Amino acid sequence: MFIGKSTVVFVLTVGMGFFSISCDTFGLKRSFRPDGMTGRTVSLPPATDLGRGLRVLYLFDGNVRDTSGHGLHGLVVGTTLVPDRFGTSENAIQFDGLDDYIWIQNSSSLKLELPISISMWVKLGQVETTMASFTSDFHSERNTGVFATFGSRGANAAFSFGDGGRLGQQSRRTKHGSTKLAPGVWYHVAGTIVGPDSITVYLNGENDGGRYDGSAESVVYSDGSANIGRRTATPRARPIYFFGALDEFAVYDRVLSAREIRLLYTEGFSSLLRAEDSERRR
């Protein structure tokens, strides 16, 4: 897989049109795609370097538009826009834990060789089963791609990759964070995946420690699409879904430093963009 270098810009949307579609191929109940976009572009402040290696970014500021510049705009299935961690209305996205998710087209932008970093803000609903916040590679019978979950035994954040084998611990490698997340509270969660013995889970800008399980040694992809809020559980069972809210979801094709992850926790993408925009207007 070739991963090229590119200049990354961010789109601040000032106009939005939506249209409804139906697609049985993807099992969508109802879907919406941003259309008729107008806007302007701004870059992140150079000192942060947070534009480098960015593959997808969803700010969920009234839409599911990918503002990384790669155009991987999502198709939403039943989700609801809700207030973000600051109370701003329709600035985060809620999943019901039953059948809501976001479908993202199969793209080489998310079929990445390691290392990979994932960052998001999350507010969990009541946790009773394992929940999936993201998979880069939805497959009904195998552990493929990279994925982020929250476990039923304490709602710890976990980051994993699969080697393409049939579902089970033998075909994935996982790092589980050590902290139990409380429902109804916003947390910043991030993970860096470098290799089977180098996965780091961050919670609110700090290394969350944790434990490993599974025995996969390399990441393998299928031709499956990426999903936010859904992942396969077993071949005979329905997928596992996410119950709660997400915001500022990003994937990188490099290792984010501890400093960068702390900056995303203390400032956030939206704040960084607003600060840069304010500076441009001076």
Side-chain angles (χ1 to χ4, degrees):
M1 179 186 305
F2 173 75
I3 302 175
K5 295 182 179 179
S6 61
T7 300
V8 180
V9 296
F10 294 86
V11 177
L12 296 184
T13 303
V14 297
M16 171 63 64
F18 289 94
F19 64 85
S20 174
I21 70 170
S22 174
C23 182
D24 292 337
T25 302
F26 305 121
L28 304 186
K29 299 179 300 182
R30 53 191 185 281
S31 303
F32 305 90
R33 182 175 69 82
D35 193 39
M37 292 290 186
T38 60
R40 55 196 176 83
T41 61
V42 298
S43 60
L44 279 172
T48 67
D49 206 24
L50 284 169
R52 182 171 65 88
L54 184 65
R55 287 292 172 155
V56 70
L57 172 63
Y58 299 99
L59 297 176
F60 299 128
D61 51 353
N63 59 76
V64 290
R65 183 175 175 83
D66 169 25
T67 54
S68 73
H70 290 97
L72 295 180
H73 310 310
L75 298 176
V76 303
V77 183
T79 58
T80 304
L81 289 168
V82 295
D84 63 12
R85 61 193 184 279
F86 303 112
T88 306
S89 62
E90 296 191 346
N91 226 41
I93 199 154
Q94 177 80 28
F95 301 80
D96 65 4
L98 300 175
D99 53 8
D100 289 359
Y101 66 99
I102 298 172
W103 176 86
I104 306 166
Q105 70 190 66
N106 179 23
S107 170
S108 60
S109 287
L110 291 176
K111 309 289 189 181
L112 304 170
E113 299 297 330
L114 302 182
I116 294 171
S117 298
I118 300 172
S119 171
M120 71 189 89
W121 281 92
V122 58
K123 182 172 71 171
L124 301 180
Q126 196 65 39
V127 179
E128 297 179 355
T129 61
T130 299
M131 301 189 300
S133 59
F134 172 71
T135 178
S136 66
D137 204 65
F138 187 84
H139 195 288
S140 63
E141 297 183 351
R142 298 181 181 274
N143 277 321
T144 57
V146 297
F147 43 99
T149 57
F150 295 89
S152 59
R153 294 179 294 179
N156 310 67
F159 292 88
S160 309
F161 63 85
D163 66 7
R166 292 194 174 275
L167 293 168
Q169 284 196 13
Q170 76 285 350
S171 61
R172 63 167 173 79
R173 184 64 166 168
T174 301
K175 178 73 172 290
H176 304 267
S178 62
T179 301
K180 177 180 178 179
L181 277 62
V185 177
W186 280 106
Y187 296 93
H188 182 256
V189 175
T192 60
I193 305 174
V194 180
D197 298 312
S198 183
I199 303 174
T200 306
V201 179
Y202 291 88
L203 183 65
N204 289 344
E206 302 293 336
N207 189 325
D208 195 39
R211 62 178 179 84
Y212 288 95
D213 67 15
S215 54
E217 295 186 355
S218 61
V219 62
V220 172
Y221 293 94
S222 73
D223 60 357
S225 62
N227 284 185
I228 297 176
R230 183 180 75 151
R231 184 178 182 272
T232 300
T234 69
R236 298 180 183 83
R238 65 190 299 272
I240 56 175
Y241 290 87
F242 180 76
F243 179 32
L246 295 174
D247 198 12
E248 296 186 9
F249 181 88
V251 177
Y252 284 83
D253 65 7
R254 65 179 181 90
V255 177
L256 290 176
S257 69
R259 176 186 175 275
E260 289 173 317
I261 289 173
R262 183 155 186 82
L263 187 63
L264 289 175
Y265 165 58
T266 58
E267 300 295 332
F269 277 109
S270 296
S271 295
L272 291 168
L273 288 170
R274 284 196 300 269
E276 198 275 347
D277 189 46
S278 176
E279 184 68 23
R280 286 170 61 92
R281 291 199 300 266
R282 290 183 180 179

